[in-house]
Amino acid sequence: MRSLHSFLRETRGAVAFEAVIITPILAWCFVGSFIFFDAFRTYSTSLKATYAVADVISRQELTIYGSDIQGMADIFSHLTRNVSGSSMRVSEISWNGTEYDVEWSHPTGTLTRMRDTDLPGIVDQLPIMASGERVVLVETFIPYDPYFDVGLNNIEFTNFTITRPRFAGQIPFDDGTNPLCSVCNHDDGVTGDGSGTDDLDEPFSG
């Protein structure tokens, strides 16, 4: 009984014992804070970069080409510290009073261009538009792979930014006539007259 009482009152080694318990917790908190902060930084940077690209495109008055959008995607990648696997899609959407229509769309990376059949999934995110008005939609996708496993799985940050053309009613687009456009896909159904219409798609009624 006396030995048990002495053991319970013994305090030598308490600091070392507490350190063994708390050190893994402190290490997890430190690494976890770094991962969550880095994830927030990546998302915040990608959002600001998307706004910057959308603003540049909205100021265009002349025809833009597929190579221009590819250049914007390169700028986006640079602003987000060259995260591998990032991609971007730029589309112009019109409203005729009863129906939405994708005027033109150009993707980068592994994305496919937006079609009229994709509009029902985003109709709630489109702004109120006057008949004949057009808006430019810039979508960016950037994957995030945590450096350490702290409970945060691999995720993809998606940004959805809509802006109106600032100095013109629409932004002309041509994906097939620019000799510098080495990445253009000439078989995606986009016309070369700048209209960007697709006869295979039917307008979506909102």
PDB file of all heavy atoms in Angstrom, residues 153-178:
ATOM      1  N   ASN A 153      -8.814  16.040 -48.404  1.00  0.00           N
ATOM      2  CA  ASN A 153      -8.632  15.248 -49.609  1.00  0.00           C
ATOM      3  C   ASN A 153      -8.258  16.122 -50.799  1.00  0.00           C
ATOM      4  O   ASN A 153      -8.355  17.354 -50.747  1.00  0.00           O
ATOM      5  CB  ASN A 153      -9.913  14.475 -49.931  1.00  0.00           C
ATOM      6  CG  ASN A 153     -10.286  13.485 -48.836  1.00  0.00           C
ATOM      7  OD1 ASN A 153      -9.412  12.909 -48.197  1.00  0.00           O
ATOM      8  ND2 ASN A 153     -11.574  13.308 -48.610  1.00  0.00           N
ATOM      9  N   ASN A 154      -7.826  15.484 -51.877  1.00  0.00           N
ATOM     10  CA  ASN A 154      -7.561  16.213 -53.114  1.00  0.00           C
ATOM     11  C   ASN A 154      -8.852  16.869 -53.597  1.00  0.00           C
ATOM     12  O   ASN A 154      -9.902  16.226 -53.679  1.00  0.00           O
ATOM     13  CB  ASN A 154      -7.043  15.265 -54.195  1.00  0.00           C
ATOM     14  CG  ASN A 154      -5.691  14.677 -53.839  1.00  0.00           C
ATOM     15  OD1 ASN A 154      -5.054  15.113 -52.887  1.00  0.00           O
ATOM     16  ND2 ASN A 154      -5.259  13.686 -54.592  1.00  0.00           N
ATOM     17  N   ILE A 155      -8.784  18.136 -53.911  1.00  0.00           N
ATOM     18  CA  ILE A 155      -9.967  18.881 -54.329  1.00  0.00           C
ATOM     19  C   ILE A 155      -9.637  19.708 -55.568  1.00  0.00           C
ATOM     20  O   ILE A 155      -8.465  19.898 -55.916  1.00  0.00           O
ATOM     21  CB  ILE A 155     -10.484  19.808 -53.205  1.00  0.00           C
ATOM     22  CG1 ILE A 155      -9.353  20.729 -52.702  1.00  0.00           C
ATOM     23  CG2 ILE A 155     -11.063  19.020 -52.058  1.00  0.00           C
ATOM     24  CD1 ILE A 155      -9.786  21.683 -51.606  1.00  0.00           C
ATOM     25  N   GLU A 156     -10.678  20.171 -56.222  1.00  0.00           N
ATOM     26  CA  GLU A 156     -10.517  21.038 -57.384  1.00  0.00           C
ATOM     27  C   GLU A 156     -11.299  22.319 -57.135  1.00  0.00           C
ATOM     28  O   GLU A 156     -12.515  22.279 -56.959  1.00  0.00           O
ATOM     29  CB  GLU A 156     -11.011  20.352 -58.659  1.00  0.00           C
ATOM     30  CG  GLU A 156     -10.805  21.211 -59.910  1.00  0.00           C
ATOM     31  CD  GLU A 156     -11.255  20.511 -61.181  1.00  0.00           C
ATOM     32  OE1 GLU A 156     -12.466  20.209 -61.282  1.00  0.00           O
ATOM     33  OE2 GLU A 156     -10.417  20.280 -62.070  1.00  0.00           O
ATOM     34  N   PHE A 157     -10.598  23.448 -57.130  1.00  0.00           N
ATOM     35  CA  PHE A 157     -11.247  24.734 -56.944  1.00  0.00           C
ATOM     36  C   PHE A 157     -11.811  25.200 -58.283  1.00  0.00           C
ATOM     37  O   PHE A 157     -11.103  25.245 -59.293  1.00  0.00           O
ATOM     38  CB  PHE A 157     -10.270  25.770 -56.398  1.00  0.00           C
ATOM     39  CG  PHE A 157      -9.756  25.445 -55.020  1.00  0.00           C
ATOM     40  CD1 PHE A 157      -8.399  25.338 -54.782  1.00  0.00           C
ATOM     41  CD2 PHE A 157     -10.636  25.237 -53.972  1.00  0.00           C
ATOM     42  CE1 PHE A 157      -7.921  25.031 -53.515  1.00  0.00           C
ATOM     43  CE2 PHE A 157     -10.180  24.934 -52.705  1.00  0.00           C
ATOM     44  CZ  PHE A 157      -8.814  24.832 -52.476  1.00  0.00           C
ATOM     45  N   THR A 158     -13.080  25.552 -58.293  1.00  0.00           N
ATOM     46  CA  THR A 158     -13.761  26.003 -59.501  1.00  0.00           C
ATOM     47  C   THR A 158     -14.226  27.434 -59.309  1.00  0.00           C
ATOM     48  O   THR A 158     -14.860  27.752 -58.296  1.00  0.00           O
ATOM     49  CB  THR A 158     -14.968  25.103 -59.817  1.00  0.00           C
ATOM     50  OG1 THR A 158     -14.526  23.757 -59.972  1.00  0.00           O
ATOM     51  CG2 THR A 158     -15.645  25.549 -61.095  1.00  0.00           C
ATOM     52  N   ASN A 159     -13.907  28.281 -60.253  1.00  0.00           N
ATOM     53  CA  ASN A 159     -14.340  29.676 -60.212  1.00  0.00           C
ATOM     54  C   ASN A 159     -15.255  29.956 -61.400  1.00  0.00           C
ATOM     55  O   ASN A 159     -14.976  29.548 -62.526  1.00  0.00           O
ATOM     56  CB  ASN A 159     -13.131  30.624 -60.247  1.00  0.00           C
ATOM     57  CG  ASN A 159     -12.245  30.451 -59.027  1.00  0.00           C
ATOM     58  OD1 ASN A 159     -12.662  30.689 -57.902  1.00  0.00           O
ATOM     59  ND2 ASN A 159     -11.017  30.012 -59.243  1.00  0.00           N
ATOM     60  N   PHE A 160     -16.322  30.673 -61.135  1.00  0.00           N
ATOM     61  CA  PHE A 160     -17.369  30.943 -62.118  1.00  0.00           C
ATOM     62  C   PHE A 160     -17.604  32.453 -62.118  1.00  0.00           C
ATOM     63  O   PHE A 160     -18.215  32.993 -61.207  1.00  0.00           O
ATOM     64  CB  PHE A 160     -18.643  30.189 -61.702  1.00  0.00           C
ATOM     65  CG  PHE A 160     -19.777  30.242 -62.679  1.00  0.00           C
ATOM     66  CD1 PHE A 160     -19.996  29.195 -63.562  1.00  0.00           C
ATOM     67  CD2 PHE A 160     -20.649  31.315 -62.699  1.00  0.00           C
ATOM     68  CE1 PHE A 160     -21.067  29.224 -64.445  1.00  0.00           C
ATOM     69  CE2 PHE A 160     -21.712  31.358 -63.579  1.00  0.00           C
ATOM     70  CZ  PHE A 160     -21.920  30.303 -64.449  1.00  0.00           C
ATOM     71  N   THR A 161     -17.072  33.129 -63.121  1.00  0.00           N
ATOM     72  CA  THR A 161     -17.123  34.590 -63.154  1.00  0.00           C
ATOM     73  C   THR A 161     -17.806  35.069 -64.423  1.00  0.00           C
ATOM     74  O   THR A 161     -17.450  34.667 -65.526  1.00  0.00           O
ATOM     75  CB  THR A 161     -15.699  35.181 -63.087  1.00  0.00           C
ATOM     76  OG1 THR A 161     -15.063  34.735 -61.886  1.00  0.00           O
ATOM     77  CG2 THR A 161     -15.748  36.695 -63.097  1.00  0.00           C
ATOM     78  N   ILE A 162     -18.809  35.940 -64.258  1.00  0.00           N
ATOM     79  CA  ILE A 162     -19.550  36.490 -65.387  1.00  0.00           C
ATOM     80  C   ILE A 162     -19.320  37.995 -65.450  1.00  0.00           C
ATOM     81  O   ILE A 162     -19.353  38.684 -64.429  1.00  0.00           O
ATOM     82  CB  ILE A 162     -21.057  36.199 -65.247  1.00  0.00           C
ATOM     83  CG1 ILE A 162     -21.321  34.700 -65.337  1.00  0.00           C
ATOM     84  CG2 ILE A 162     -21.859  36.933 -66.309  1.00  0.00           C
ATOM     85  CD1 ILE A 162     -22.768  34.314 -65.147  1.00  0.00           C
ATOM     86  N   THR A 163     -19.061  38.493 -66.638  1.00  0.00           N
ATOM     87  CA  THR A 163     -18.881  39.926 -66.840  1.00  0.00           C
ATOM     88  C   THR A 163     -19.522  40.333 -68.158  1.00  0.00           C
ATOM     89  O   THR A 163     -19.675  39.505 -69.066  1.00  0.00           O
ATOM     90  CB  THR A 163     -17.379  40.301 -66.850  1.00  0.00           C
ATOM     91  OG1 THR A 163     -17.238  41.719 -66.962  1.00  0.00           O
ATOM     92  CG2 THR A 163     -16.646  39.634 -68.001  1.00  0.00           C
ATOM     93  N   ARG A 164     -19.912  41.582 -68.255  1.00  0.00           N
ATOM     94  CA  ARG A 164     -20.493  42.096 -69.488  1.00  0.00           C
ATOM     95  C   ARG A 164     -19.411  42.775 -70.319  1.00  0.00           C
ATOM     96  O   ARG A 164     -18.501  43.397 -69.755  1.00  0.00           O
ATOM     97  CB  ARG A 164     -21.614  43.097 -69.183  1.00  0.00           C
ATOM     98  CG  ARG A 164     -22.874  42.465 -68.605  1.00  0.00           C
ATOM     99  CD  ARG A 164     -23.936  43.523 -68.322  1.00  0.00           C
ATOM    100  NE  ARG A 164     -25.220  42.935 -67.987  1.00  0.00           N
ATOM    101  CZ  ARG A 164     -25.583  42.589 -66.760  1.00  0.00           C
ATOM    102  NH1 ARG A 164     -24.727  42.775 -65.758  1.00  0.00           N
ATOM    103  NH2 ARG A 164     -26.771  42.055 -66.534  1.00  0.00           N
ATOM    104  N   PRO A 165     -19.483  42.680 -71.636  1.00  0.00           N
ATOM    105  CA  PRO A 165     -18.533  43.440 -72.470  1.00  0.00           C
ATOM    106  C   PRO A 165     -18.639  44.928 -72.145  1.00  0.00           C
ATOM    107  O   PRO A 165     -19.728  45.487 -72.083  1.00  0.00           O
ATOM    108  CB  PRO A 165     -19.013  43.137 -73.894  1.00  0.00           C
ATOM    109  CG  PRO A 165     -19.740  41.838 -73.792  1.00  0.00           C
ATOM    110  CD  PRO A 165     -20.402  41.855 -72.448  1.00  0.00           C
ATOM    111  N   ARG A 166     -17.506  45.571 -71.938  1.00  0.00           N
ATOM    112  CA  ARG A 166     -17.512  46.955 -71.464  1.00  0.00           C
ATOM    113  C   ARG A 166     -17.733  47.981 -72.574  1.00  0.00           C
ATOM    114  O   ARG A 166     -18.408  48.987 -72.377  1.00  0.00           O
ATOM    115  CB  ARG A 166     -16.196  47.262 -70.740  1.00  0.00           C
ATOM    116  CG  ARG A 166     -16.016  46.487 -69.448  1.00  0.00           C
ATOM    117  CD  ARG A 166     -14.669  46.780 -68.822  1.00  0.00           C
ATOM    118  NE  ARG A 166     -14.470  46.043 -67.587  1.00  0.00           N
ATOM    119  CZ  ARG A 166     -14.759  46.491 -66.380  1.00  0.00           C
ATOM    120  NH1 ARG A 166     -15.286  47.700 -66.245  1.00  0.00           N
ATOM    121  NH2 ARG A 166     -14.532  45.758 -65.307  1.00  0.00           N
ATOM    122  N   PHE A 167     -17.143  47.734 -73.738  1.00  0.00           N
ATOM    123  CA  PHE A 167     -17.138  48.770 -74.767  1.00  0.00           C
ATOM    124  C   PHE A 167     -17.864  48.357 -76.042  1.00  0.00           C
ATOM    125  O   PHE A 167     -17.835  49.087 -77.029  1.00  0.00           O
ATOM    126  CB  PHE A 167     -15.690  49.139 -75.120  1.00  0.00           C
ATOM    127  CG  PHE A 167     -14.876  49.522 -73.908  1.00  0.00           C
ATOM    128  CD1 PHE A 167     -13.743  48.802 -73.552  1.00  0.00           C
ATOM    129  CD2 PHE A 167     -15.245  50.598 -73.120  1.00  0.00           C
ATOM    130  CE1 PHE A 167     -12.994  49.139 -72.435  1.00  0.00           C
ATOM    131  CE2 PHE A 167     -14.498  50.944 -71.995  1.00  0.00           C
ATOM    132  CZ  PHE A 167     -13.379  50.221 -71.658  1.00  0.00           C
ATOM    133  N   ALA A 168     -18.493  47.202 -76.043  1.00  0.00           N
ATOM    134  CA  ALA A 168     -19.202  46.739 -77.235  1.00  0.00           C
ATOM    135  C   ALA A 168     -20.339  45.833 -76.800  1.00  0.00           C
ATOM    136  O   ALA A 168     -20.377  45.356 -75.658  1.00  0.00           O
ATOM    137  CB  ALA A 168     -18.255  45.985 -78.176  1.00  0.00           C
ATOM    138  N   GLY A 169     -21.272  45.610 -77.720  1.00  0.00           N
ATOM    139  CA  GLY A 169     -22.397  44.758 -77.395  1.00  0.00           C
ATOM    140  C   GLY A 169     -22.020  43.301 -77.281  1.00  0.00           C
ATOM    141  O   GLY A 169     -22.681  42.535 -76.591  1.00  0.00           O
ATOM    142  N   GLN A 170     -20.953  42.904 -77.972  1.00  0.00           N
ATOM    143  CA  GLN A 170     -20.475  41.546 -77.904  1.00  0.00           C
ATOM    144  C   GLN A 170     -18.983  41.528 -78.195  1.00  0.00           C
ATOM    145  O   GLN A 170     -18.415  42.516 -78.664  1.00  0.00           O
ATOM    146  CB  GLN A 170     -21.203  40.654 -78.905  1.00  0.00           C
ATOM    147  CG  GLN A 170     -20.852  40.953 -80.352  1.00  0.00           C
ATOM    148  CD  GLN A 170     -21.558  40.028 -81.321  1.00  0.00           C
ATOM    149  OE1 GLN A 170     -22.584  40.385 -81.879  1.00  0.00           O
ATOM    150  NE2 GLN A 170     -21.009  38.841 -81.511  1.00  0.00           N
ATOM    151  N   ILE A 171     -18.363  40.408 -77.902  1.00  0.00           N
ATOM    152  CA  ILE A 171     -16.948  40.240 -78.189  1.00  0.00           C
ATOM    153  C   ILE A 171     -16.819  39.247 -79.331  1.00  0.00           C
ATOM    154  O   ILE A 171     -17.108  38.058 -79.159  1.00  0.00           O
ATOM    155  CB  ILE A 171     -16.190  39.735 -76.949  1.00  0.00           C
ATOM    156  CG1 ILE A 171     -16.302  40.774 -75.819  1.00  0.00           C
ATOM    157  CG2 ILE A 171     -14.724  39.472 -77.277  1.00  0.00           C
ATOM    158  CD1 ILE A 171     -15.642  40.346 -74.530  1.00  0.00           C
ATOM    159  N   PRO A 172     -16.407  39.698 -80.514  1.00  0.00           N
ATOM    160  CA  PRO A 172     -16.265  38.772 -81.649  1.00  0.00           C
ATOM    161  C   PRO A 172     -15.184  37.728 -81.365  1.00  0.00           C
ATOM    162  O   PRO A 172     -14.169  38.018 -80.735  1.00  0.00           O
ATOM    163  CB  PRO A 172     -15.869  39.690 -82.811  1.00  0.00           C
ATOM    164  CG  PRO A 172     -16.229  41.073 -82.356  1.00  0.00           C
ATOM    165  CD  PRO A 172     -16.084  41.079 -80.872  1.00  0.00           C
ATOM    166  N   PHE A 173     -15.431  36.527 -81.852  1.00  0.00           N
ATOM    167  CA  PHE A 173     -14.493  35.432 -81.621  1.00  0.00           C
ATOM    168  C   PHE A 173     -14.289  34.662 -82.911  1.00  0.00           C
ATOM    169  O   PHE A 173     -15.228  34.448 -83.677  1.00  0.00           O
ATOM    170  CB  PHE A 173     -15.035  34.496 -80.541  1.00  0.00           C
ATOM    171  CG  PHE A 173     -14.168  33.280 -80.313  1.00  0.00           C
ATOM    172  CD1 PHE A 173     -12.985  33.379 -79.611  1.00  0.00           C
ATOM    173  CD2 PHE A 173     -14.551  32.037 -80.803  1.00  0.00           C
ATOM    174  CE1 PHE A 173     -12.190  32.264 -79.409  1.00  0.00           C
ATOM    175  CE2 PHE A 173     -13.765  30.926 -80.597  1.00  0.00           C
ATOM    176  CZ  PHE A 173     -12.577  31.037 -79.888  1.00  0.00           C
ATOM    177  N   ASP A 174     -13.053  34.285 -83.173  1.00  0.00           N
ATOM    178  CA  ASP A 174     -12.721  33.470 -84.338  1.00  0.00           C
ATOM    179  C   ASP A 174     -11.705  32.423 -83.912  1.00  0.00           C
ATOM    180  O   ASP A 174     -10.657  32.760 -83.387  1.00  0.00           O
ATOM    181  CB  ASP A 174     -12.158  34.339 -85.464  1.00  0.00           C
ATOM    182  CG  ASP A 174     -12.144  33.607 -86.806  1.00  0.00           C
ATOM    183  OD1 ASP A 174     -11.784  32.416 -86.809  1.00  0.00           O
ATOM    184  OD2 ASP A 174     -12.499  34.217 -87.812  1.00  0.00           O
ATOM    185  N   ASP A 175     -12.037  31.192 -84.152  1.00  0.00           N
ATOM    186  CA  ASP A 175     -11.182  30.101 -83.722  1.00  0.00           C
ATOM    187  C   ASP A 175     -10.496  29.402 -84.888  1.00  0.00           C
ATOM    188  O   ASP A 175      -9.936  28.335 -84.715  1.00  0.00           O
ATOM    189  CB  ASP A 175     -12.017  29.074 -82.952  1.00  0.00           C
ATOM    190  CG  ASP A 175     -11.146  28.175 -82.082  1.00  0.00           C
ATOM    191  OD1 ASP A 175      -9.992  28.553 -81.816  1.00  0.00           O
ATOM    192  OD2 ASP A 175     -11.623  27.112 -81.693  1.00  0.00           O
ATOM    193  N   GLY A 176     -10.516  30.019 -86.094  1.00  0.00           N
ATOM    194  CA  GLY A 176      -9.939  29.292 -87.195  1.00  0.00           C
ATOM    195  C   GLY A 176      -9.183  30.109 -88.219  1.00  0.00           C
ATOM    196  O   GLY A 176      -8.588  29.543 -89.118  1.00  0.00           O
ATOM    197  N   THR A 177      -9.180  31.440 -88.112  1.00  0.00           N
ATOM    198  CA  THR A 177      -8.555  32.256 -89.143  1.00  0.00           C
ATOM    199  C   THR A 177      -7.255  32.888 -88.712  1.00  0.00           C
ATOM    200  O   THR A 177      -6.535  33.439 -89.535  1.00  0.00           O
ATOM    201  CB  THR A 177      -9.510  33.375 -89.594  1.00  0.00           C
ATOM    202  OG1 THR A 177      -9.804  34.216 -88.467  1.00  0.00           O
ATOM    203  CG2 THR A 177     -10.812  32.789 -90.120  1.00  0.00           C
ATOM    204  N   ASN A 178      -6.945  32.844 -87.435  1.00  0.00           N
ATOM    205  CA  ASN A 178      -5.723  33.473 -86.951  1.00  0.00           C
ATOM    206  C   ASN A 178      -4.531  32.554 -87.213  1.00  0.00           C
ATOM    207  O   ASN A 178      -4.482  31.440 -86.696  1.00  0.00           O
ATOM    208  CB  ASN A 178      -5.840  33.771 -85.456  1.00  0.00           C
ATOM    209  CG  ASN A 178      -4.616  34.497 -84.921  1.00  0.00           C
ATOM    210  OD1 ASN A 178      -3.776  34.952 -85.698  1.00  0.00           O
ATOM    211  ND2 ASN A 178      -4.532  34.617 -83.622  1.00  0.00           N
TER     212      ASN A 178
END
